[in-house]
Amino acid sequence: MPNAKKTPHYIKEVEAAPDFSAIEKELLEHWYRDGIVTRYLHKNDSSSDKFIFQDGPITANNPMGVHHAWGRTYKDLWQRYKNMRGFKQRFQNGFDCQGLWVEVEVEKELGFRTKKDIEAYGVDKFVQLCKDRVKKYSLMQTQQSKRLGYFMDWDNSYFTMSDENNYMIWNFLKVCWQKGWIYQGHDSVPWCPRCETAISQHEMLTEDYKEITHKSIYYKLPITGRDREYLLVWTTTPWTLPANIAVAVDSSQEYALVEDEAGSRYWILNALVTTVFKDTLYKILKSSLGSDLVGLRYTTAFDNIPAVKEVADKHPEKFHVVIATDSQIMPITAVEGTGLVHTAVSAGAEDFQLGKKLGLPLIPVIADNADYLAGMGFLSGKNAKKHPEIIIDYLNVEGQWVFRVENYTHRYPSCWRCKTELVWKIADVWYISMDKTDPDDKQGRTLRQKMIDVAKKIHWYPEFGMDRELDWLNNMHDWLISKKNRYWGLALPIWVCDDCSDFIVIGGKEELKNKASDGWDKFIGHTPHKPFIDEVKIKCEKCGGNMTRIGDVGNPWLDAGIVPFSTLVDPDTGEVSYSTDKKYWRDWYPANFITESFPGQFKNWFYSLIAMSTVFEDATPYENVLGFASVLGEDGRAMHKSWGNSIEFNEGADKIGVDVMRWTFVRHNPERNLLFGYKTTSDTKRLFHMLLWNSYRFFANYAALEKWDSTDKNYHHPSKLDFWITYRLNQVVIDVGASLDKYDAFSATNAIESFVSDLSTWYIRRSRDRIGPVASDCTDKDNCYLTLNNVFSTLSRILMPFIPFLSDLIFTNITGEETVHLADWPETTTDVNTELQDRMSQVRSICELGNSARKTQGIAIKQPLSSIKVVGDFKNLVDDNELLQLIKDELNVEQVIILEGETPSVEYDTEITDNLQKKGRARELIRAIQEARKEANCRLDEHIRLEMPDWPEEFVDDIKKKTLVDNIATGDSLKIIRSK
Ligand SMILES: [Zn+2]
Ligand SMILES: [Zn+2]
C-alpha cells in the first residue's frame, strides 16, 4: 500500500451542496489565467509517443446545442486520457464553414426567398456575409467549448473555408480527373425547389424522409383505335403527368381486361384487380401477358400543351406507347398501383434510367424552383409542388381521365437543410465515377473497390459501423459533387470550353495563375470563392476557344474530407506539409482516432475521409472510429425549439453543470439515442456526483477538523476493509484504462460508478466510526485516513478526463498540488488479492440477506439481536474474525454462526433479552443525541453536557464516548448543554 509524502498539506473543509456551476466558471478562469491550459497542451511536447486525433469540423453556423456536447465530450475525454498517458498531441479543433447551411441562415437574416434576391443583392456581398457569419459563430462556439471544459489549442483551429483547404480539394479533384473519373451527367436528380439545387444521394438521410399524405390518382389513358378501352395507371406525383412519355408493363406477368358496371374496360395487372376494383361490380373479360400490350398507343390529357406536342412531333414512334420495363431498373410488383407504370423520363430517377436505356425522348416540365416552364400551356408559371391541385382539378373538369383519386401516405424525402419536399428534375451535374478502373492501380481496381479495401482496415466502434459503411460503399451511385445555383462553397475547379465543350480540372492556385488567359487581375487578392474566381478565363488547348469555370459550388463533404491533407501545417515552415516535403505530414498521418455522431456520417464525413485518402494515398485516414447515436429530447422526439424540448448549450451548462452534462454523455451506450433533459441530468447528478461528493466530504471534513496530514504517516496493520478498497481502487484504474484504450467510455464509467458505490455503501459505511473525534484508535484512524487519501487522490486522477472540474477540486484539496490537469495516469500494481475480493463479496451478500430478512420480519436494524445463522457456501469465513466482525456491525448482532448448505439463507435469533433491549435503547439514544448535536450546530469535535429523562446505565460509557458527552444529568427531556 502506498505510503506518505513529504511536504505537509492540510485538507480544507468542503460544503454540503455548493453551486457547482459557479465553481466551474471560477475554475475555468483560473485555468486559462494561470496558464494551466497552455501547460496541459504542451505537457508531452518532448515525448516520442504520439496520439493523433483528427477533429471532424463543427459547422460554425449557429450557437452550440447540447447535442454537440456529446461528441465534444468524447473528443476531450480521449485527448485528456492520452495526455495523462504521456502522448504528444496537436489539439487542433476545426470549423466547417462552407455550404448551403450557412447560405440558408444568411438568406433568412436578409429575408430572401429565392436566388434572384441574392443576385440582386450582389453575390460578393452575400458571400462576405456568409464568411462573417462563420467568424461570428466560430468565436461563440469556441467560448462554449471552453465552458464545456474542452481543452484545445483554440488559437490554432482550422477553417474549411481557408485557401489551403479549398486548393487542396482542387488538387484532389485534379487527381480524380487525371484518372478519368470526373464526368458531367445529364440526369434526373433529387432536387430542392427552394434551394434550387440538386440534393446528392449522400445528403438524403433517413431522418429527412417524412410521412406525408399526397393525393394519388388512378389515371385513365384511352388506347388508340379501341372504343372505351383504357390503360389504367397510378401515380403518387400527379404533377409529373404532363411529362409522361410511356407506360411500362412487365412482359412476363398476366394482365386482365376488366369491364366495370358502366361498360368501360381497363387493363390492369391480374394480381391487382381486387385491390383496385374492391367491392364494385366488374367482370374480367380476358387476360394476356404484358408482352401482348407492348406497342399499344394511347392519348393523354396534356396532348395539347405545346411542349408536349413538340416532342410528339419529333419522336412519333417513341411517344405515348406501351413499353416493356427492365426489372433491374424499374421492377413492377403486385404490392400497390395497377402494374402499369406512368413513365415520366424527365421527372423520376428510374424513369430516366429506363428512358436512357430505351432511347426515349423527354419533356422537361419544371424550372429550378419547380414552376412549370414556358411552353407548358395553362400550367406555365404555376408551381408544381405548391399547387398540385391544378393537375387534378384540370383532369376532373375534363371528365373522362380520372378513375379515382385517393389519399396516399408514404415516406417522402425532403431537403435536409430547408425541409422542402424534393422533386426529381433533369439537371447537368458533375460526378466522380465509382466504377471506372484506376489506371494507376496495379490490380486495376475501381475507386469503389479501393475504398472498400480501405474501409475494412479500420476499427469501427460500434462494430456494426463497418457493415454500414460497406453497405453504403457497395450500393452508392457515383458521387455527385456539384451544387447548382449556390454561392457560398468550394468553387469547383472545372473550366469548360465555350466552343468545343472540352473541360479541364485545375489543381491549385499556381496552376490557375499559369493557365489564366484573362481575368487574373480581377481575381487576385480574393479567396477562391464566387464571384471573383469566375472572372478567370483559360484558353482551350483543343480549339483555342475561351474556357469558363462552371458556376457550380462543391459538395460540402469535400470540404471536411480533405482536412487530413490540408490542416497539417509544418510549424517550422508555415506551409501545408502535404504540398511540400510531406515530412511533418507523415509524422501526423493517419489519425489514430476520430469520433462523430453516426447518423449521416457513413455517407458523409466517414465516407469522404476514406474517399480522399484512398485517392491520394490508397491508405486509411483513421485507424479507429467511434460513432455514437443522436441526442433526443426527454420526450423521445428530436429536439426542436418550437416543441419546447430543446436545450441551448449555455442554458444547459449553467442549469445542469458541465461535469454532470459530460458524465450523462459518457455513461451512455453510444449505440443508442440519448434522451437528454433536466430530469435525466438531475438523476445523474444525484446518483453519481452527489454520492461521490458526499463520500469525499466525509473524508475531507474530518481530515480538516482533525488537521490530519499524510506527512510521515504510515500504515500499521491496515484492516481487511482497507486492503479491500485499495485492491478495488487498483482494479478500477486498470479496468478504466483498458476500456479507454478500446474507446469504450460506457464500460469505463460503469466501472467507476460501481467503485464509487462500493466506496460509499460499504467502505465508508463500515468506517464511519474510524475517523473523527469519536474514534479513539489512533493507528486505525491513520490507516483509514491514509486509505481514503489514496482513494481520492487516485480516483480524482482517473476522473479527470471525464469530469475535469470536480476532479480538479478533489485532487487539489487532497494533494495540495496545483491541478489535476498536469497529472499522470495512476500507476497500478499486479498485486491483487482475489481471495480477499471473493470473501468480501460473500460478506456483502450475507449482509444483504440479513438486511432484507430484518425488513421482512419487521425488526429495526437498531435493535441488537443475539445471533444470526448463515447457511451457504461460506466456510472460508468461519475463522475470519475480522470479516465476521463486519457482518456483526452491519447486521447489529452479537454472534454469526456459519453453517454448510447449498442455498444461501439466514435466520435470526429473534429473542430480545433485557440486555439486548437496553443495548438497543442505548443505540437509539446515541442517534437522537447526534441529531440534537447537529440541530444545535455543535462543532464535530465539541464536547457537551446532556440532560435526559433516563438511560440504560450499563451502556452509559458507550453513549458518552460516541457522542462526545462529558456528563449526563437527569432532566425532563433530551437537552444539550454547551459550554460557552
Ligand atoms: Zn432546400
Ligand atoms: Zn475548345
Side-chain angles (χ1 to χ4, degrees), residues 360-398:
L360 302 179
L362 58 85
I363 313 169
V365 289
I366 55 169
D368 292 351
N369 64 356
D371 277 356
Y372 283 105
L373 292 165
M376 290 300 293
F378 74 97
L379 294 168
S380 292
K382 292 183 180 132
N383 196 276
K385 277 310 276 187
K386 285 182 200 150
H387 302 290
E389 72 281 358
I390 49 177
I391 295 287
I392 292 170
D393 290 351
Y394 170 75
L395 294 178
N396 276 328
V397 169
E398 294 293 305

CSV table of all heavy atoms in Angstrom, one decimal, residues 360-398:
chain,number,residue,atom,x,y,z
A,360,LEU,N,-35.7,6.7,-75.1
A,360,LEU,CA,-37.0,7.5,-75.2
A,360,LEU,C,-36.6,9.0,-75.1
A,360,LEU,O,-35.7,9.4,-74.5
A,360,LEU,CB,-37.9,7.1,-74.0
A,360,LEU,CG,-38.3,5.7,-73.8
A,360,LEU,CD1,-39.1,5.5,-72.6
A,360,LEU,CD2,-39.0,5.2,-75.1
A,361,PRO,N,-37.5,9.8,-75.7
A,361,PRO,CA,-37.3,11.3,-75.5
A,361,PRO,C,-37.8,11.7,-74.1
A,361,PRO,O,-38.3,10.9,-73.4
A,361,PRO,CB,-38.3,11.9,-76.6
A,361,PRO,CG,-39.3,10.9,-76.7
A,361,PRO,CD,-38.7,9.5,-76.5
A,362,LEU,N,-37.5,13.0,-73.8
A,362,LEU,CA,-38.1,13.5,-72.6
A,362,LEU,C,-38.6,14.9,-72.7
A,362,LEU,O,-38.3,15.6,-73.6
A,362,LEU,CB,-37.0,13.5,-71.5
A,362,LEU,CG,-35.7,14.2,-71.7
A,362,LEU,CD1,-35.8,15.7,-71.2
A,362,LEU,CD2,-34.6,13.5,-70.8
A,363,ILE,N,-39.5,15.3,-71.8
A,363,ILE,CA,-40.1,16.6,-71.8
A,363,ILE,C,-39.8,17.3,-70.5
A,363,ILE,O,-40.3,16.9,-69.5
A,363,ILE,CB,-41.7,16.5,-71.9
A,363,ILE,CG1,-42.1,15.5,-73.0
A,363,ILE,CG2,-42.3,17.9,-72.1
A,363,ILE,CD1,-43.6,15.2,-72.9
A,364,PRO,N,-38.8,18.2,-70.5
A,364,PRO,CA,-38.5,19.0,-69.3
A,364,PRO,C,-39.8,19.8,-69.0
A,364,PRO,O,-40.3,20.5,-69.8
A,364,PRO,CB,-37.4,19.9,-69.7
A,364,PRO,CG,-36.9,19.4,-71.0
A,364,PRO,CD,-38.0,18.7,-71.7
A,365,VAL,N,-40.3,19.6,-67.7
A,365,VAL,CA,-41.5,20.3,-67.4
A,365,VAL,C,-41.4,21.4,-66.4
A,365,VAL,O,-42.2,22.4,-66.3
A,365,VAL,CB,-42.6,19.3,-67.0
A,365,VAL,CG1,-43.1,18.5,-68.1
A,365,VAL,CG2,-42.2,18.4,-65.8
A,366,ILE,N,-40.4,21.3,-65.5
A,366,ILE,CA,-40.3,22.3,-64.4
A,366,ILE,C,-39.0,23.0,-64.4
A,366,ILE,O,-37.9,22.5,-64.8
A,366,ILE,CB,-40.6,21.8,-63.0
A,366,ILE,CG1,-39.6,20.6,-62.7
A,366,ILE,CG2,-42.0,21.4,-62.8
A,366,ILE,CD1,-39.7,20.2,-61.2
A,367,ALA,N,-39.0,24.3,-63.9
A,367,ALA,CA,-37.8,25.1,-63.7
A,367,ALA,C,-37.1,24.7,-62.4
A,367,ALA,O,-37.7,23.9,-61.6
A,367,ALA,CB,-38.1,26.6,-63.8
A,368,ASP,N,-36.0,25.4,-62.1
A,368,ASP,CA,-35.3,25.1,-60.8
A,368,ASP,C,-36.1,25.3,-59.6
A,368,ASP,O,-35.9,24.7,-58.6
A,368,ASP,CB,-34.0,26.0,-60.8
A,368,ASP,CG,-33.0,25.7,-61.8
A,368,ASP,OD1,-33.2,24.6,-62.5
A,368,ASP,OD2,-32.0,26.4,-62.0
A,369,ASN,N,-37.1,26.2,-59.6
A,369,ASN,CA,-38.0,26.4,-58.5
A,369,ASN,C,-39.3,25.7,-58.5
A,369,ASN,O,-40.2,25.9,-57.8
A,369,ASN,CB,-38.2,27.9,-58.3
A,369,ASN,CG,-39.0,28.5,-59.5
A,369,ASN,OD1,-39.3,27.7,-60.4
A,369,ASN,ND2,-39.4,29.7,-59.4
A,370,ALA,N,-39.3,24.7,-59.5
A,370,ALA,CA,-40.5,23.8,-59.7
A,370,ALA,C,-41.7,24.5,-60.3
A,370,ALA,O,-42.8,24.0,-60.3
A,370,ALA,CB,-40.9,23.1,-58.4
A,371,ASP,N,-41.5,25.7,-60.8
A,371,ASP,CA,-42.5,26.3,-61.7
A,371,ASP,C,-42.6,25.6,-63.0
A,371,ASP,O,-41.5,25.3,-63.6
A,371,ASP,CB,-42.2,27.8,-62.0
A,371,ASP,CG,-42.6,28.8,-60.8
A,371,ASP,OD1,-43.2,28.3,-59.9
A,371,ASP,OD2,-42.3,30.0,-61.0
A,372,TYR,N,-43.8,25.4,-63.5
A,372,TYR,CA,-43.9,24.8,-64.9
A,372,TYR,C,-43.2,25.8,-65.9
A,372,TYR,O,-43.4,27.0,-65.8
A,372,TYR,CB,-45.3,24.5,-65.2
A,372,TYR,CG,-45.8,23.2,-64.6
A,372,TYR,CD1,-46.7,23.3,-63.5
A,372,TYR,CD2,-45.4,22.0,-65.0
A,372,TYR,CE1,-47.2,22.2,-62.9
A,372,TYR,CE2,-45.9,20.8,-64.4
A,372,TYR,CZ,-46.8,20.9,-63.4
A,372,TYR,OH,-47.3,19.8,-62.8
A,373,LEU,N,-42.5,25.2,-66.8
A,373,LEU,CA,-41.7,26.0,-67.7
A,373,LEU,C,-42.6,26.7,-68.8
A,373,LEU,O,-43.8,26.3,-69.0
A,373,LEU,CB,-40.7,25.1,-68.5
A,373,LEU,CG,-39.6,24.5,-67.7
A,373,LEU,CD1,-39.0,23.4,-68.5
A,373,LEU,CD2,-38.6,25.6,-67.3
A,374,ALA,N,-42.1,27.7,-69.4
A,374,ALA,CA,-42.7,28.3,-70.6
A,374,ALA,C,-43.0,27.2,-71.6
A,374,ALA,O,-42.1,26.2,-71.7
A,374,ALA,CB,-41.9,29.4,-71.2
A,375,GLY,N,-44.1,27.2,-72.4
A,375,GLY,CA,-44.3,26.2,-73.3
A,375,GLY,C,-45.2,25.1,-72.7
A,375,GLY,O,-45.6,24.1,-73.4
A,376,MET,N,-45.5,25.2,-71.4
A,376,MET,CA,-46.4,24.2,-70.8
A,376,MET,C,-47.8,24.7,-70.7
A,376,MET,O,-48.6,24.2,-69.9
A,376,MET,CB,-45.9,23.9,-69.3
A,376,MET,CG,-44.6,23.2,-69.3
A,376,MET,SD,-44.6,21.6,-70.1
A,376,MET,CE,-45.7,20.7,-69.0
A,377,GLY,N,-48.2,25.6,-71.6
A,377,GLY,CA,-49.6,26.0,-71.8
A,377,GLY,C,-50.1,26.6,-70.5
A,377,GLY,O,-49.5,27.4,-69.9
A,378,PHE,N,-51.4,26.1,-70.2
A,378,PHE,CA,-52.0,26.7,-69.0
A,378,PHE,C,-51.3,26.5,-67.7
A,378,PHE,O,-51.5,27.1,-66.7
A,378,PHE,CB,-53.5,26.2,-68.9
A,378,PHE,CG,-53.5,24.8,-68.4
A,378,PHE,CD1,-53.7,24.5,-67.0
A,378,PHE,CD2,-53.3,23.7,-69.2
A,378,PHE,CE1,-53.8,23.2,-66.5
A,378,PHE,CE2,-53.4,22.4,-68.7
A,378,PHE,CZ,-53.6,22.1,-67.4
A,379,LEU,N,-50.3,25.6,-67.7
A,379,LEU,CA,-49.5,25.3,-66.5
A,379,LEU,C,-48.4,26.3,-66.3
A,379,LEU,O,-47.9,26.4,-65.2
A,379,LEU,CB,-49.0,23.9,-66.5
A,379,LEU,CG,-50.0,22.7,-66.5
A,379,LEU,CD1,-49.4,21.4,-66.9
A,379,LEU,CD2,-50.7,22.7,-65.1
A,380,SER,N,-47.9,26.9,-67.4
A,380,SER,CA,-46.7,27.7,-67.3
A,380,SER,C,-46.7,28.7,-66.2
A,380,SER,O,-47.7,29.4,-66.0
A,380,SER,CB,-46.5,28.4,-68.6
A,380,SER,OG,-46.2,27.5,-69.6
A,381,GLY,N,-45.6,28.8,-65.4
A,381,GLY,CA,-45.5,29.8,-64.3
A,381,GLY,C,-46.2,29.3,-63.0
A,381,GLY,O,-46.0,30.0,-62.0
A,382,LYS,N,-47.0,28.2,-63.1
A,382,LYS,CA,-47.6,27.8,-61.8
A,382,LYS,C,-46.6,26.8,-61.2
A,382,LYS,O,-45.9,26.1,-61.9
A,382,LYS,CB,-48.9,27.1,-62.1
A,382,LYS,CG,-49.9,28.2,-62.6
A,382,LYS,CD,-51.3,27.7,-62.8
A,382,LYS,CE,-52.2,28.8,-63.3
A,382,LYS,NZ,-53.0,28.4,-64.4
A,383,ASN,N,-46.7,26.7,-59.8
A,383,ASN,CA,-45.7,25.9,-59.2
A,383,ASN,C,-46.2,24.5,-58.9
A,383,ASN,O,-47.3,24.3,-58.3
A,383,ASN,CB,-45.3,26.5,-57.8
A,383,ASN,CG,-44.0,25.8,-57.3
A,383,ASN,OD1,-44.1,24.8,-56.6
A,383,ASN,ND2,-42.9,26.5,-57.6
A,384,ALA,N,-45.4,23.5,-59.4
A,384,ALA,CA,-45.9,22.1,-59.4
A,384,ALA,C,-46.0,21.6,-58.0
A,384,ALA,O,-46.9,20.7,-57.8
A,384,ALA,CB,-44.9,21.3,-60.2
A,385,LYS,N,-45.1,22.0,-57.1
A,385,LYS,CA,-45.2,21.4,-55.8
A,385,LYS,C,-46.2,22.2,-54.9
A,385,LYS,O,-46.8,21.6,-54.0
A,385,LYS,CB,-43.8,21.4,-55.1
A,385,LYS,CG,-42.9,20.2,-55.5
A,385,LYS,CD,-43.6,18.9,-55.3
A,385,LYS,CE,-43.6,18.3,-53.9
A,385,LYS,NZ,-44.1,16.9,-53.9
A,386,LYS,N,-46.2,23.5,-55.1
A,386,LYS,CA,-47.1,24.3,-54.2
A,386,LYS,C,-48.5,24.1,-54.5
A,386,LYS,O,-49.4,24.2,-53.7
A,386,LYS,CB,-46.7,25.7,-54.2
A,386,LYS,CG,-45.4,26.0,-53.4
A,386,LYS,CD,-45.1,27.5,-53.5
A,386,LYS,CE,-43.6,27.8,-53.2
A,386,LYS,NZ,-43.1,29.0,-53.8
A,387,HIS,N,-48.8,23.9,-55.8
A,387,HIS,CA,-50.2,23.8,-56.2
A,387,HIS,C,-50.4,22.5,-57.0
A,387,HIS,O,-50.8,22.5,-58.2
A,387,HIS,CB,-50.5,25.0,-57.1
A,387,HIS,CG,-50.3,26.3,-56.4
A,387,HIS,ND1,-51.1,26.7,-55.3
A,387,HIS,CD2,-49.3,27.2,-56.5
A,387,HIS,CE1,-50.6,27.8,-54.9
A,387,HIS,NE2,-49.5,28.2,-55.6
A,388,PRO,N,-50.3,21.4,-56.4
A,388,PRO,CA,-50.5,20.1,-57.1
A,388,PRO,C,-52.0,20.0,-57.5
A,388,PRO,O,-52.3,19.2,-58.4
A,388,PRO,CB,-50.2,19.0,-56.0
A,388,PRO,CG,-50.4,19.7,-54.7
A,388,PRO,CD,-50.1,21.2,-54.9
A,389,GLU,N,-52.9,20.7,-56.9
A,389,GLU,CA,-54.3,20.6,-57.2
A,389,GLU,C,-54.6,21.0,-58.7
A,389,GLU,O,-55.6,20.5,-59.2
A,389,GLU,CB,-55.2,21.4,-56.2
A,389,GLU,CG,-55.2,22.9,-56.4
A,389,GLU,CD,-53.9,23.5,-55.8
A,389,GLU,OE1,-53.1,22.8,-55.2
A,389,GLU,OE2,-53.8,24.8,-55.9
A,390,ILE,N,-53.8,21.9,-59.3
A,390,ILE,CA,-54.1,22.3,-60.6
A,390,ILE,C,-54.2,21.1,-61.6
A,390,ILE,O,-55.0,21.2,-62.5
A,390,ILE,CB,-53.1,23.4,-61.2
A,390,ILE,CG1,-51.7,22.9,-61.0
A,390,ILE,CG2,-53.3,24.7,-60.6
A,390,ILE,CD1,-50.7,23.9,-61.6
A,391,ILE,N,-53.4,20.1,-61.4
A,391,ILE,CA,-53.5,19.0,-62.3
A,391,ILE,C,-54.8,18.2,-62.1
A,391,ILE,O,-55.5,17.9,-63.0
A,391,ILE,CB,-52.2,18.0,-62.0
A,391,ILE,CG1,-50.9,18.8,-62.3
A,391,ILE,CG2,-52.4,16.7,-62.7
A,391,ILE,CD1,-50.7,18.9,-63.8
A,392,ILE,N,-55.0,17.9,-60.8
A,392,ILE,CA,-56.2,17.1,-60.5
A,392,ILE,C,-57.5,17.8,-60.9
A,392,ILE,O,-58.4,17.2,-61.5
A,392,ILE,CB,-56.2,16.6,-59.1
A,392,ILE,CG1,-55.1,15.6,-58.9
A,392,ILE,CG2,-57.6,15.9,-58.7
A,392,ILE,CD1,-54.8,15.2,-57.5
A,393,ASP,N,-57.5,19.1,-60.6
A,393,ASP,CA,-58.7,19.9,-61.0
A,393,ASP,C,-58.9,19.9,-62.5
A,393,ASP,O,-60.0,19.7,-62.9
A,393,ASP,CB,-58.5,21.4,-60.5
A,393,ASP,CG,-58.6,21.5,-59.0
A,393,ASP,OD1,-59.0,20.5,-58.3
A,393,ASP,OD2,-58.3,22.6,-58.5
A,394,TYR,N,-57.9,20.1,-63.2
A,394,TYR,CA,-57.9,20.1,-64.6
A,394,TYR,C,-58.5,18.7,-65.1
A,394,TYR,O,-59.4,18.7,-66.0
A,394,TYR,CB,-56.6,20.3,-65.2
A,394,TYR,CG,-56.4,20.1,-66.7
A,394,TYR,CD1,-57.0,21.1,-67.6
A,394,TYR,CD2,-55.8,19.0,-67.2
A,394,TYR,CE1,-56.9,20.9,-69.0
A,394,TYR,CE2,-55.7,18.8,-68.6
A,394,TYR,CZ,-56.2,19.7,-69.5
A,394,TYR,OH,-56.1,19.6,-70.8
A,395,LEU,N,-57.9,17.6,-64.6
A,395,LEU,CA,-58.4,16.3,-65.1
A,395,LEU,C,-59.8,16.1,-64.7
A,395,LEU,O,-60.6,15.5,-65.5
A,395,LEU,CB,-57.5,15.2,-64.4
A,395,LEU,CG,-56.0,15.2,-64.8
A,395,LEU,CD1,-55.3,14.1,-64.1
A,395,LEU,CD2,-55.9,15.0,-66.3
A,396,ASN,N,-60.3,16.6,-63.6
A,396,ASN,CA,-61.7,16.4,-63.2
A,396,ASN,C,-62.6,17.2,-64.1
A,396,ASN,O,-63.6,16.7,-64.5
A,396,ASN,CB,-61.9,16.8,-61.7
A,396,ASN,CG,-61.5,15.7,-60.8
A,396,ASN,OD1,-61.7,14.5,-61.1
A,396,ASN,ND2,-61.0,16.1,-59.6
A,397,VAL,N,-62.2,18.4,-64.4
A,397,VAL,CA,-63.0,19.2,-65.3
A,397,VAL,C,-63.1,18.5,-66.7
A,397,VAL,O,-64.2,18.5,-67.2
A,397,VAL,CB,-62.4,20.6,-65.4
A,397,VAL,CG1,-63.1,21.4,-66.6
A,397,VAL,CG2,-62.6,21.4,-64.1
A,398,GLU,N,-62.0,18.0,-67.1
A,398,GLU,CA,-62.0,17.4,-68.4
A,398,GLU,C,-62.8,16.0,-68.4
A,398,GLU,O,-63.0,15.4,-69.5
A,398,GLU,CB,-60.6,17.1,-68.9
A,398,GLU,CG,-59.8,18.4,-69.1
A,398,GLU,CD,-60.4,19.2,-70.3
A,398,GLU,OE1,-60.5,18.6,-71.4
A,398,GLU,OE2,-60.7,20.4,-70.1
